[in-house]
Amino acid sequence: FPIDITFKSTNPFGWPQIVLSVYGPDFFGHDVVRGYGAVHVPFVPGRHKRTIAMFVPESTSRLQQFT
């Protein structure tokens, strides 16, 4: 799976954090967003275990929900 890393900030609040986007193919073979989430990175060195709550976008169209 390809991993894309981007360093970007508009202000220092809430930084650093890992933003995760999960993509997958739809019925027609196009890549669509399957879920996304974010978690803050600890400042102290060492081993850490973080859990990312994933949010799944829902379509408003019945046809898109079906496909």
Side-chain angles (χ1 to χ4, degrees), residues 28-59:
F28 301 109
H30 301 114
D31 281 338
V32 293
V33 176
R34 296 292 183 191
Y36 55 91
V39 66
H40 293 282
V41 177
F43 281 111
V44 291
R47 184 176 223 161
H48 302 278
K49 183 177 180 180
R50 305 294 295 177
T51 302
I52 301 176
M54 299 296 290
F55 300 95
V56 180
E58 290 187 7
S59 176

